[in-house]
């Protein structure tokens, strides 16, 4: 009894160990994504913000192509969060796209690569919390000393529309975490959106018919910080200002690319030309009645009573190299048809045959008959008559046979 219980316990332990090991080995691992990817649920991803935009019925989607492929329509918004390896040519392409009436939302802690944004480095004062600086130039109140080395919430004025005036007396400041010491330099044409006591955190400037908004706080969009403090309230108004246009999240500069198809390397005009050529070829084949597929030979043509005897005889003539004898049989057959149809003797010369043909055929048919008679004379004069030449002459003879058979 005890032995049976031990065996049962060992079996249950083995099953449990097998299940645990199987779960550990087959447990799917979270795919490794770079930071600020809209499809990443990691703490440094932005899937929470991207999913919320879709739930709010905003037309948010991912962009995985180069910026030169951006659509030419206006009233669209491109959200770019901490891009990597942005070249000068790409910045020119984006600038041209914005000038056509589109909008760019750039979230970058140090957008040094963007020519329109002038940056400056500022040190934080040794106080406990940074304070509010309103966009109208009023000085905020002191909020104590800061602890050096630890980023702390700063007081940022509530976002307003472009045409509104920011007034500290009726716009309550919002709390946000600012980790960078870089600020946007105040220049002509730049409209501050968010400021603290060190300077401008977010600004907007016009470019042609569109606009570019720059935020120095990309960490506000992350999954682990979007719900902290007032980060969502600070960026939400600028994500929904495209008035129903497309809202793209740039993933091309995070390493995600749509691989083009086989035809994507060819220009549109060449593809259109090839399509016309294909259609023209199909119409030509249809006009010529060219058929594709197997040609089924009737059973009566391959039986003993059909042309199998002719095929066997032709093969025997070819193997025996009796091309001249085959030509003689073909010549006698044609002359027998002329005798039946025209009453011409089988031993008539070429001049007599042509004279008889002129009473029945037109000029083109007479020329074909004359060519055939010339081939016969050449075959009689040549010392060696090959099978290849016989096939060539037989094609001309077939035309004469078909013409005589129809009379």
């Amino acid at each position: 009894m005890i032995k049976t219980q031990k065996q049962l316990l060992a079996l249950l332990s083995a099953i449990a160990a097998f299940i645990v090991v199987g779960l550990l080995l087959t447990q799917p691992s979270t795919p490794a994504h770079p930071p600020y990817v809209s499809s990443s649920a990691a703490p440094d991803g932005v899937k929470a913000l991207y999913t919320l935009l879709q739930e709010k019925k905003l037309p948010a989607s991912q962009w995985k192509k180069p910026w030169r492929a951006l659509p030419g329509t206006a009233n669209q918004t491109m959200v770019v969060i901490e891009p990597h390896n942005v070249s000068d040519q790409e910045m020119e392409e984006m600038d041209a796209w914005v000038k056509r009436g589109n909008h760019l939302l750039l979230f970058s802690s140090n957008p040094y690569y963007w020519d329109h944004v002038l940056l400056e480095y500022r040190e934080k004062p040794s106080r406990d919390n940074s304070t509010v600086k309103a966009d109208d130039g009023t000085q905020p109140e002191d909020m104590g000393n800061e602890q050096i080395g630890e980023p702390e919430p700063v007081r940022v004025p509530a976002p307003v529309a472009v045409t509104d005036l920011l007034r500290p007396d009726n716009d309550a400041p919002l709390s946000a975490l600012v980790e960078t010491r870089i600020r946007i330099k105040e220049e002509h044409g730049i409209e501050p959106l968010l400021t603290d006591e060190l300077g401008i955190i977010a600004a907007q400037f016009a470019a042609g018919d569109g606009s570019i908004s720059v935020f120095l706080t990309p960490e506000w969009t992350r999954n682990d910080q979007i719900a902290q403090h007032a980060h969502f309230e600070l960026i939400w108004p600028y994500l929904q200002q495209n008035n129903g246009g497309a809202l793209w999240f740039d993933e091309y500069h995070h390493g995600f690319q749509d691989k083009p198809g086989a035809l994507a390397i060819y220009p549109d005009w060449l593809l259109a030309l090839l399509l016309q050529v294909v259609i023209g070829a199909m119409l030509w084949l249809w006009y010529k009645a060219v058929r594709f597929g197997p040609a089924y030979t009737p059973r009566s043509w391959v039986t003993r009573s059909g042309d199998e005897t002719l095929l066997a005889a032709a093969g025997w003539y070819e193997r025996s190299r009796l091309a001249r004898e085959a030509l003689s049989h073909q010549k006698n057959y044609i002359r027998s048809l002329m005798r039946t149809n025209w009453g011409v003797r089988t031993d008539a010369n070429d001049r007599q045959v042509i004279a008889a043909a002129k009473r029945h055929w037109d000029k083109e048919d007479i020329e074909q008959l004359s060519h055939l008679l010339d081939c016969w004379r050449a075959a009689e004069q040549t010392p060696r008559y090959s099978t290849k030449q016989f096939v060539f002459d037989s094609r001309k003879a077939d035309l004469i046979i078909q013409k005589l058979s129809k009379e």
Side-chain angles (χ1 to χ4, degrees):
M1 183 68 180
I2 298 176
K3 184 177 180 181
T4 303
Q5 292 179 352
K6 290 183 178 179
Q7 292 177 350
L8 181 60
L9 181 60
L11 178 61
L12 294 177
S13 300
I15 294 174
F18 178 78
I19 294 175
V20 171
V21 173
L23 290 176
L24 293 176
L25 294 178
T26 59
Q27 185 177 5
S29 59
T30 304
H33 290 302
Y36 301 105
V37 175
S38 59
S39 59
S40 174
D44 57 359
V46 294
K47 185 176 182 180
L49 178 61
Y50 183 78
T51 303
L52 179 62
L53 290 172
Q54 292 181 327
E55 292 179 353
K56 294 294 185 180
K57 306 301 181 182
L58 293 177
S61 56
Q62 297 177 341
W63 183 263
K64 299 180 181 180
K65 298 180 181 180
W67 285 351
R68 64 175 179 271
L70 284 168
T73 56
N75 196 30
Q76 301 184 72
T77 302
M78 175 66 72
V79 180
V80 182
I81 307 176
E82 285 290 16
H84 302 295
N85 301 325
V86 180
S87 63
D88 295 338
Q89 182 179 358
E90 288 178 316
M91 287 190 295
E92 294 177 359
E93 293 167 351
M94 174 58 69
D95 188 60
W97 182 73
V98 170
K99 290 180 179 179
R100 292 196 295 265
N102 299 290
H103 308 281
L104 170 65
L105 295 182
L106 177 62
F107 292 85
S108 179
S109 58
N110 189 11
Y112 61 90
Y113 45 81
W114 201 263
D115 297 335
H116 300 279
V117 182
L118 299 179
L119 305 176
E120 55 185 354
Y121 184 84
R122 293 188 178 182
E123 290 288 346
K124 291 186 178 181
S126 58
R127 293 182 298 178
D128 185 50
N129 289 311
S130 56
T131 58
V132 175
K133 179 181 179 182
D135 291 343
D136 57 358
T138 56
Q139 297 295 330
E141 60 182 358
D142 189 358
M143 301 185 65
N145 298 325
E146 70 168 355
Q147 297 179 357
I148 300 176
E150 296 182 5
E152 70 287 344
V154 299
R155 307 295 290 175
V156 181
V160 296
V162 176
T163 56
D164 292 344
L165 296 177
L166 185 60
R167 298 180 179 178
D169 55 348
N170 57 10
D171 288 327
L174 297 177
S175 176
L177 184 65
V178 180
E179 300 178 357
T180 180
R181 297 181 181 180
I182 298 176
R183 294 296 182 268
I184 300 174
K185 192 174 182 180
E186 188 171 357
E187 295 286 337
H188 177 71
I190 292 182
E191 179 179 358
L193 299 178
L194 302 175
T195 62
D196 64 355
E197 63 179 358
L198 297 183
I200 302 174
I201 297 175
Q204 184 180 69
F205 56 90
D209 295 333
S211 64
I212 298 177
S213 301
V214 181
F215 293 79
L216 300 179
T217 53
E219 62 273 6
W220 291 357
T221 63
R222 292 172 32 163
N223 297 329
D224 58 348
Q225 294 195 27
I226 187 65
Q228 300 294 327
H229 307 290
H231 297 163
F232 175 74
E233 290 81 356
L234 291 170
I235 64 177
W236 175 248
Y238 309 103
L239 292 171
Q240 55 178 350
Q241 64 178 0
N242 59 338
N243 297 324
L247 181 62
W248 305 99
F249 275 70
D250 179 53
E251 301 298 349
Y252 180 81
H253 292 90
H254 291 152
F256 296 91
Q257 302 180 14
D258 284 337
K259 296 182 179 180
L263 299 179
I265 60 177
Y266 301 103
D268 294 338
W269 65 267
L270 181 59
L271 296 177
L273 180 61
L274 292 177
L275 179 60
Q276 294 178 11
V277 171
V278 171
I279 295 175
M282 294 178 63
L283 293 176
W284 180 82
L285 292 175
W286 176 75
Y287 174 74
K288 291 294 184 179
V290 178
R291 61 186 299 274
F292 297 94
Y296 297 100
T297 305
R299 173 66 177 172
S300 59
W301 283 64
V302 294
T303 57
R304 291 292 178 179
S305 59
D307 65 341
E308 185 173 305
T309 304
L310 297 177
L311 295 176
W316 180 78
Y317 272 91
E318 182 179 2
R319 289 190 300 271
S320 302
R321 297 181 180 181
L322 300 176
R324 195 180 297 276
E325 286 76 2
L327 178 64
S328 177
H329 291 306
Q330 188 181 76
K331 183 193 305 184
N332 293 334
Y333 177 68
I334 294 176
R335 286 187 174 274
S336 65
L337 290 177
M338 292 180 181
R339 183 185 61 184
T340 303
N341 295 342
W342 300 341
V344 180
R345 296 174 53 180
T346 56
D347 57 348
N349 56 29
D350 295 347
R351 184 181 301 176
Q352 294 172 343
V353 172
I354 295 298
K358 289 181 179 180
R359 296 193 295 267
H360 301 85
W361 287 354
D362 54 15
K363 183 178 179 181
E364 183 179 357
D365 296 332
I366 294 174
E367 290 180 356
Q368 293 179 355
L369 178 59
S370 178
H371 290 326
L372 179 61
L373 295 176
D374 293 340
C375 292
W376 287 351
R377 286 195 303 270
E380 292 175 354
Q381 297 174 0
T382 182
R384 184 176 180 274
Y385 187 69
S386 64
T387 304
K388 182 177 180 181
Q389 184 63 33
F390 172 72
V391 173
F392 178 77
D393 296 340
S394 295
R395 292 174 181 174
K396 297 180 179 181
D398 288 340
L399 298 177
I400 304 301
I401 294 173
Q402 294 177 5
K403 185 69 176 178
L404 292 171
S405 300
K406 294 180 180 179
E407 293 184 354

